[in-house]
Amino acid sequence: MIPCSAPLPNHEAWQRHLAEGFRSAKALLAHLGLERLWTPAMEAAARRFPLRVPRYYADLMTPGDPDDPLLRQVLPDSAELTSPPGYGTDPTGDSHALAGPGLLHKYPQRALVITTGGCAVHCRYCFRRHFDYTAAGARPARWDPVLDALAKTPDLEEVILSGGDPLLLDDDRLGILLEGLATLPGLRRLRIHSRLPVVLPQRIGERLVHLIASTGLPAVLVLHVNHPAELTEFLSCALSSLRRAGIALLNQAVLLRGVNDSLETQLELNKKLFESGILPYYLHQLDKVRGAAHFQVPDEHAKALHAAMQQRLPGYLVPKLVREIPGASCKRPL
Ligand SMILES: *Cc1c(COP(=O)(O)O)cnc(C)c1O
Ligand code: SF4
């Protein structure tokens, strides 16, 4: 286990941390001593999808390293401005899966709630970077329409809170939603998908843990850790309070060129996940979203990498290599 000597993080401050995050490529690059990398094309890319990086996350990057794998995930790139064929604005067909206000229903027994359009970090490869959250009806101010639609969904066993990032909602608003979900008859599992703890572990406070636990539903938090350098002692400590409350921790990563497409990185990522109390779940082949083609890893390389991981890791530390196919009834193994 990664030792946990630090006290629970000061969760009161998470919104202040968020507000003080980086909002421009110039400022982030200056912070890292990499001003020379700045280009006007970077600003043009950021006008389409703004840069957003919490300071905590920026401090995990290596100053002076232009190839830092964490920096690559968040730094706008001129390559985003080109649009190769096959890369669209809705690569997962989500706009066709809307089943109600802020509700996606694609797979049997599971419904996904788009709780908010906001995120603490903007990942350049994001498959929802063009998603129209307003048109999808995501309205955290009022949960009644979502809860009504969920109550009418036949055979529903699991609700997945997604976004944007559901943990960007404050505890009050999240608490109201969780309370509502706890009243749904027949619901057997609660799942939360979030990258927020990875870029701002301060978010995990005692109240959040209590809110999730007090639904009485078996719960799982699916984190989005892409690189071993994202697994810090701070994160591990924050997560331990969730684990003590019986909340299962899984990880889904996206396979990204120049970030985590080497065997060495994948081995270290999955071993370190376990040491932080997290089990690998999915390794996603990139959704073909416009602006992210430069992150694409060829299928042949992805499959060879996955086969090599199977040779070198215990079975429970090998994530499933999958991709999403619009209209398919589950994520497909490659
Ligand atoms: C990915 C996804 C799920 C969950 O799929 P699992 O294979 O159970 O992880 C559910 N709903 C939607 C809309 C999804 O995109
Ligand atoms: S946290 Fe997830 S939803 Fe938000 S920008 Fe990153 S990949 Fe997209």
Side-chain angles (χ1 to χ4, degrees):
M1 277 295 142
I2 293 177
C4 184
S5 47
L8 256 191
N10 175 8
H11 59 274
E12 304 301 335
W14 73 272
Q15 276 150 324
R16 182 171 52 79
H17 283 288
L18 204 61
E20 290 171 354
F22 289 99
R23 303 241 164 183
S24 86
K26 225 172 209 168
L28 176 62
L29 289 172
H31 180 72
L32 295 167
L34 288 167
E35 297 89 336
R36 65 192 155 82
L37 294 188
W38 186 86
T39 61
M42 230 173 238
E43 280 324 303
R47 271 195 294 279
R48 296 185 180 188
F49 187 49
L51 176 141
R52 195 157 293 176
V53 183
R55 278 179 186 270
Y56 161 86
Y57 192 69
D59 287 338
L60 303 183
M61 300 170 189
T62 307
D65 181 4
D67 299 321
D68 183 278
L70 278 53
L71 177 63
R72 261 188 79 85
Q73 292 181 62
V74 298
L75 188 68
D77 192 304
S78 59
E80 293 175 36
L81 303 170
T82 62
S83 54
Y87 288 78
T89 55
D90 183 16
T92 56
D94 279 356
S95 58
H96 300 291
L98 279 173
L103 199 63
L104 292 178
H105 197 189
K106 276 196 201 170
Y107 305 140
Q109 277 112 42
R110 289 149 288 171
L112 183 149
V113 179
I114 296 177
T115 54
T116 167
C119 287
V121 66
H122 281 178
C123 315
R124 306 316 298 179
Y125 52 83
C126 179
F127 75 106
R128 289 218 179 104
R129 53 180 289 170
H130 307 283
F131 195 73
D132 186 343
Y133 288 99
T134 315
R139 273 184 209 91
R142 285 197 57 221
W143 298 123
D144 305 7
V146 181
L147 292 166
D148 288 348
L150 286 170
K152 289 190 197 116
T153 306
D155 302 326
L156 185 67
E157 289 190 0
E158 177 172 324
V159 168
I160 302 169
L161 302 187
S162 179
D165 198 311
L167 295 186
L168 196 67
L169 300 171
D170 63 30
D171 287 342
D172 287 342
R173 276 189 293 173
L174 199 60
I176 297 169
L177 176 58
L178 292 173
E179 254 173 48
L181 292 176
T183 68
L184 290 176
L187 201 63
R188 299 178 65 163
R189 295 178 299 275
L190 171 69
R191 184 182 341 177
I192 301 176
H193 275 249
S194 176
R195 183 150 160 81
L196 218 149
V198 180
V199 300
L200 204 74
Q202 291 87 340
R203 175 66 185 97
I204 302 173
E206 277 170 55
R207 176 138 184 256
L208 177 68
V209 177
H210 175 75
L211 285 175
I212 299 171
S214 58
T215 60
L217 290 164
V220 51
L221 174 64
V222 181
L223 295 151
H224 298 192
V225 182
N226 289 324
H227 192 277
E230 296 173 346
L231 287 163
T232 64
E233 183 186 351
F234 192 177
L235 174 60
S236 192
C237 285
L239 294 175
S240 65
S241 58
L242 291 162
R243 287 215 319 280
R244 276 197 303 273
I247 297 161
L249 302 175
L250 299 178
N251 187 62
Q252 72 173 32
V254 183
L255 185 58
L256 299 165
R257 196 167 97 199
V259 174
N260 60 9
D261 57 342
S262 76
L263 179 60
E264 198 188 318
T265 303
Q266 282 296 333
L267 295 178
E268 186 59 16
L269 171 62
N270 291 294
K271 290 178 196 176
K272 236 175 134 181
L273 281 169
F274 186 67
E275 287 157 8
S276 302
I278 309 163
L279 283 175
Y281 176 38
Y282 279 149
L283 177 59
H284 271 269
Q285 181 60 309
L286 189 84
D287 295 315
K288 293 198 163 182
V289 66
R290 189 178 298 163
H294 54 295
F295 285 112
Q296 189 74 52
V297 173
D299 277 2
E300 288 320 306
H301 177 80
K303 285 191 263 189
L305 177 65
H306 194 247
M309 287 160 69
Q310 282 176 315
Q311 297 281 331
R312 300 275 301 272
L313 289 167
Y316 60 92
L317 293 189
V318 183
K320 290 177 227 188
L321 177 64
V322 293
R323 79 147 37 94
E324 189 155 341
I325 301 187
S329 64
C330 63
K331 315 264 196 255
R332 288 274 172 82
L334 241 72

